[in-house]
């Protein structure tokens, strides 16, 4: 990464990092997209099962993965301060944390997965599809977490295109294994929606293999010798990651668990409503890859400038990223509303599901704008390593505003399941306002002098 001096240069720098990250994120999301599309084409019960399985796995994965993604702002600030040896240590200990977290998840799943599914009172076929889908995914937890650590390292160096090429090279395999394992083609077992879980796990192992080879053999990554002296382990380095990562993980968990709880609440409706909600949620989640990609670039750029003590540049990147994210959200939200029936048709052949999905998508515009603000404001705060108050703000916004509002609108008005969409939008908007206010505060009060003041 290079120092920038003008608004044009900063915009170019954002997009230089952003576009490969966006393609990577869309590629990662396409795995879930393939799972849902093919499961829906197989049977609506399998789509519902995959939806329930994803609602359980998503907050766990994103929350814990965000802990590991703390490697990115820490490494970026170290690079800004020219402390390259510290970068190596942070990445190495991130890999260790990946192993520890994987063990915790798998052991917990052995005891809690079945009881959770049984309490949801699902139909036998939907419950079976959800369970089998999660079992398939479990084989890919370790490679996914280690990959996220290495990806954060690569992003911190500003080499985002490398990750893009790795993922794009693995996607054809993911599509192929989804097809053969879900529908039982070419002698493979017919697993239905569960086949998507196994296909995704296989892909994660392939992606990790490619990433490790590049980090070990290609410059500038090989200069850091991440995998040498792996026996050099200290809890102090892990604590450094956890100090930033746990609040990041909690913030992400509060958001994704909010969506998961809404999915569980909507599971009380019929299969058509579950399938339509999941289809609509997948569409807006697909578009969410844009602000989340801007966020990843923003965290690195702000962190790098803060590490170099160029606070004016860090401030400029923060608000430029938020503005770009909101503009794109407005455009994509309008397109979704205009073409909602055509988009919904990709997810199902059933007219009732298509119509209800299209109806849910009417709320997409305001949902997109609110999500764009909160995602990028939070990313800028992470670049400053100001994360503790953010997770309290997200807890209040998502669990004390979003869910109560959604539940009230759904059960005490005539909105039904649509009430949850309005509640989601209100929660995201509240988070966006609170996080933006915090960003303004720290920029005015904590990062104005030459000396870096810890938050």
């Amino acid at each position: 990464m290079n120092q920038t001096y003008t608004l044009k240069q900063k915009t170019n720098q954002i997009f230089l990092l952003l576009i490969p990250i966006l393609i990577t994120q869309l590629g990662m999301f396409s795995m879930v997209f393939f799972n849902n599309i093919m499961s829906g084409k197989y049977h609506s019960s399998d789509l519902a099962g995959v939806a329930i399985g994803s609602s359980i796995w998503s907050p766990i994965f994103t929350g814990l993965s965000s802990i590991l993604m703390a490697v990115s702002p820490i490494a970026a600030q170290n690079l800004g301060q020219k402390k390259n040896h510290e970068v190596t240590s942070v990445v190495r200990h991130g890999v260790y944390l990946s192993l520890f977290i994987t063990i915790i998840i798998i052991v917990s799943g052995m005891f809690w997965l079945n009881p959770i599914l049984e309490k949801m009172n699902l139909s036998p076929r939907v419950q079976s599809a959800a369970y089998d889908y999660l079992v398939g995914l479990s084989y890919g937890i370790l490679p996914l977490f280690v990959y996220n650590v290495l990806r954060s390292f690569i992003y911190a160096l500003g080499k985002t295109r490398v990750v893009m090429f790795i993922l794009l090279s693995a996607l054809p395999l993911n599509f192929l294994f989804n097809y053969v394992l879900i529908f039982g083609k070419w002698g493979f077992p017919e697993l239905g929606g569960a086949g998507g879980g196994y296909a995704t796990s296989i892909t994660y192992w392939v992606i990790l293999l490619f990433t490790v080879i590049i980090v070990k053999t290609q410059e500038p990554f090989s200069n850091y010798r991440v995998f040498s002296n792996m026996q050099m382990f200290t809890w102090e380095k892990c604590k450094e990651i956890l100090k930033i990562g746990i609040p990041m993980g909690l913030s992400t968990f509060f958001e994704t668990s909010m969506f998961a709880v809404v999915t569980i609440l909507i599971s009380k409706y019929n299969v058509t409503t579950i399938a339509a909600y999941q289809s609509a949620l997948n569409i807006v989640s697909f578009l969410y890859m844009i602000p989340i990609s801007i966020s990843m670039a923003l965290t690195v750029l702000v962190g790098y400038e803060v590490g170099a003590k160029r606070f004016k540049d860090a401030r400029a990147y923060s608000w430029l990223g938020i503005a770009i994210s909101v503009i794109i959200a407005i455009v994509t939200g309008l397109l979704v509303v205009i073409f909602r029936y055509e988009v919904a048709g990709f997810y199902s052949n059933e007219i009732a599901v298509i119509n209800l999905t299209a109806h849910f998508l009417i709320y997409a515009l305001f949902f997109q704008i609110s999500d764009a603000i909160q995602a990028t404001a939070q990313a800028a705060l992470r670049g400053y390593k100001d994360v503790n108050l953010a997770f309290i703000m997200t807890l209040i916004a998502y669990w004390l505003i979003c869910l109560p509002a959604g539940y009230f609108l759904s059960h005490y008005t005539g909105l039904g399941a649509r009430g949850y969409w309005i509640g989601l939008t209100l929660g995201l908007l509240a988070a966006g306002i609170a996080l933006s206010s915090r960003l303004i505060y720290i920029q005015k009060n904590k990062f104005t002098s030459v000396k870096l003041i810890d938050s």
Side-chain angles (χ1 to χ4, degrees), residues 244-446:
I244 304 298
I246 289 178
M248 287 175 57
L250 287 172
S251 296
T252 305
F253 175 78
F254 293 146
E255 180 179 358
T256 53
S257 60
M258 170 187 69
F259 285 97
V261 170
V262 171
T263 299
I264 292 170
L265 291 171
I266 286 181
S267 70
K268 305 301 181 182
Y269 292 85
N270 56 39
V271 172
T272 298
T273 302
I274 297 173
Y277 168 77
Q278 184 62 26
S279 298
L281 184 60
N282 269 266
I283 293 165
V284 296
S285 297
F286 185 80
L287 295 175
Y288 178 62
M289 295 303 101
I290 299 174
I292 201 64
S293 299
I294 296 173
S295 299
M296 290 182 176
L298 209 56
T299 296
V300 171
L301 290 168
V302 172
Y304 184 78
E305 297 297 342
V306 169
K309 297 182 172 56
R310 294 190 289 263
F311 301 142
K312 182 179 179 181
D313 290 322
R315 185 185 305 113
Y317 272 124
S318 300
W319 296 107
L320 180 59
I322 292 172
I324 292 172
S325 184
V326 170
I327 291 169
I328 294 175
I330 292 172
V331 174
T332 56
L334 286 171
L335 289 173
V336 166
V337 171
I338 293 170
F339 297 104
R340 58 188 181 277
Y341 286 99
E342 290 81 359
V343 174
F346 284 108
Y347 280 81
S348 179
N349 295 324
E350 301 173 23
I351 298 298
V353 174
I354 292 173
N355 288 335
L356 189 54
T357 301
H359 195 70
F360 285 153
L361 288 175
I362 293 174
Y363 303 97
L365 174 60
F366 301 105
F367 182 95
Q368 290 280 104
I369 296 170
S370 301
D371 216 4
I373 296 171
Q374 69 87 23
T376 44
Q378 187 166 198
L381 289 171
R382 290 174 177 178
Y384 286 102
K385 296 203 297 189
D386 187 274
V387 294
N388 293 321
L389 191 58
F391 86 84
I392 297 175
M393 290 176 171
T394 53
L395 172 62
I396 295 171
Y398 301 148
W399 285 84
L400 299 183
I401 297 176
C402 165
L403 287 175
Y407 187 86
F408 175 82
L409 292 171
S410 177
H411 291 270
Y412 296 97
T413 70
L415 291 170
R418 293 169 294 171
Y420 285 113
W421 280 100
I422 299 174
L424 289 170
T425 303
L426 291 174
L428 292 170
L429 180 60
I433 294 172
L435 294 167
S436 297
S437 299
R438 175 61 179 174
L439 183 60
I440 293 171
Y441 174 81
I442 66 165
Q443 288 174 343
K444 286 185 175 180
N445 296 281
K446 292 192 174 187

Side-chain angles (χ1 to χ4, degrees), residues 53-95:
S54 297
S55 73
I56 295 172
W57 168 239
S58 182
I60 297 171
F61 158 65
T62 52
L64 294 176
S65 184
S66 291
I67 295 176
L68 300 173
M69 295 292 278
V71 168
S72 188
I74 296 172
Q77 285 203 12
N78 284 330
L79 287 168
Q81 295 168 357
K82 310 299 182 185
K83 297 179 180 179
N84 292 354
H85 63 286
E86 292 292 333
V87 175
T88 303
S89 180
V90 167
V91 177
R92 183 184 298 128
H93 285 82
V95 173

Side-chain angles (χ1 to χ4, degrees), residues 165-287:
F165 288 128
I166 292 171
L167 189 70
L168 290 179
S169 64
L171 277 183
L173 279 176
N174 179 253
F175 182 84
L176 175 66
F177 279 106
N178 264 287
Y179 177 70
V180 299
L181 291 175
I182 290 175
F183 296 100
K185 302 296 183 179
W186 305 340
F188 284 85
E190 183 178 340
L191 300 176
Y198 289 97
T200 302
S201 290
I202 294 170
T203 308
Y204 288 153
W205 280 105
V206 173
I207 290 172
L208 176 61
L209 176 63
F210 289 167
T211 307
V212 169
I213 290 173
I214 288 175
V215 169
K216 285 178 65 69
T217 62
Q218 301 296 314
E219 293 185 351
F221 318 112
S222 59
N223 296 334
Y224 291 85
R225 302 181 65 190
V226 170
F227 298 106
S228 63
N229 299 320
M230 288 298 291
Q231 70 275 14
M232 294 179 63
F233 172 84
T234 65
W235 278 111
E236 289 302 316
K237 287 296 179 182
C238 287
K239 289 178 183 178
E240 179 185 3
I241 298 174
L242 293 174
K243 182 180 179 181
I244 304 298
I246 289 178
M248 287 175 57
L250 287 172
S251 296
T252 305
F253 175 78
F254 293 146
E255 180 179 358
T256 53
S257 60
M258 170 187 69
F259 285 97
V261 170
V262 171
T263 299
I264 292 170
L265 291 171
I266 286 181
S267 70
K268 305 301 181 182
Y269 292 85
N270 56 39
V271 172
T272 298
T273 302
I274 297 173
Y277 168 77
Q278 184 62 26
S279 298
L281 184 60
N282 269 266
I283 293 165
V284 296
S285 297
F286 185 80
L287 295 175

